[in-house]
Amino acid sequence: QLQASGGGLVQAGGSLRLSCVASRRTFSSYNMGWFRQAPGKEREFVAAITWSGGRTYYVDSVKGRFTISRDTAKNTVYLQMNSLKPEDTAVYYCASDPRWVVITTTPTYWGQGTQVTVSS
């Protein structure tokens, strides 16, 4: 079970931090990812982190602005979003899967979304 939070309304150039709490039973051995879906667009991959936290991967459009991290003690994965742009406006979803090869495409488990709106 995944619970995402932290979305909101922010001006362009601002920051937000999304959080996703996972069930303790699976978190430590699962890779975690963030996806987003803008109105009228398909859901797209944003960022992923391995179960150990030793490797991260980002879509080109957020590199240098977003940072994914995880806190095993809190069973939580974070997405720190800086220098936000209006085109970052979307519903953001966290996801998990034990297989790294699918975490950027078709992860098995999904949380509910949290809305991020960036005003210009």
Side-chain angles (χ1 to χ4, degrees):
Q1 186 173 2
L2 303 171
Q3 284 282 344
S5 63
L9 173 63
V10 64
Q11 289 188 331
S15 298
L16 281 175
R17 188 177 79 159
L18 305 183
S19 301
C20 177
V21 180
S23 63
R24 179 180 179 182
R25 182 167 56 91
T26 58
F27 181 77
S28 62
S29 60
Y30 275 54
N31 306 297
M32 303 295 296
W34 287 97
F35 289 71
R36 66 186 180 187
Q37 187 167 19
K41 296 187 177 181
E42 293 186 354
R43 187 176 298 182
E44 68 167 347
F45 165 76
V46 176
I49 188 167
T50 55
W51 66 270
S52 67
R55 177 181 176 186
T56 58
Y57 184 69
Y58 300 91
V59 68
D60 286 347
S61 60
V62 308
K63 285 181 180 177
R65 300 189 298 121
F66 291 10
T67 303
I68 188 171
S69 62
R70 63 191 297 158
D71 185 333
T72 302
K74 296 182 179 180
N75 299 324
T76 302
V77 63
Y78 302 99
L79 186 67
Q80 177 66 45
M81 306 185 295
N82 300 327
S83 302
L84 282 161
K85 304 175 181 181
E87 52 263 43
D88 294 317
T89 295
V91 177
Y92 283 70
Y93 300 87
C94 61
S96 69
D97 199 286
R99 303 162 295 169
W100 178 252
V101 294
V102 304
I103 194 63
T104 64
T105 54
T106 54
T108 302
Y109 304 102
W110 292 86
Q112 92 292 357
T114 184
Q115 176 71 47
V116 171
T117 303
V118 184
S119 64
S120 58

